[in-house]
Amino acid sequence: MTARKPTKPKTKPCPSCKGSGEVSRPVRVGRKRRTVGQQAGMCLGCFGAGEIPADD
């Protein structure tokens, strides 16, 4: 008999980052905290993996 192969857990793309693992965050500067641009940051929903566990 051969050993069983472990099955991979089912995953789906993260809805926050759409599977890329990165999200854009506003960059704020100055005393009035005005927004001057966007910066790429790690997605906190999937921790940069781009996938989340699929709920049955």
Side-chain angles (χ1 to χ4, degrees):
M1 271 193 162
T2 18
R4 289 187 181 182
K5 291 184 181 180
T7 58
K8 282 182 67 176
K10 295 181 181 179
T11 60
K12 62 180 181 178
C14 179
S16 301
C17 64
K18 296 174 181 57
S20 68
E22 292 185 349
V23 292
S24 60
R25 303 292 303 160
V27 177
R28 296 189 172 118
V29 296
R31 204 171 43 181
K32 295 180 182 178
R33 308 295 293 164
R34 69 178 190 275
T35 304
V36 294
Q38 297 284 330
Q39 178 177 343
M42 186 176 81
C43 178
L44 297 178
C46 63
F47 296 110
E51 298 175 336
I52 57 172
D55 297 325
D56 290 339

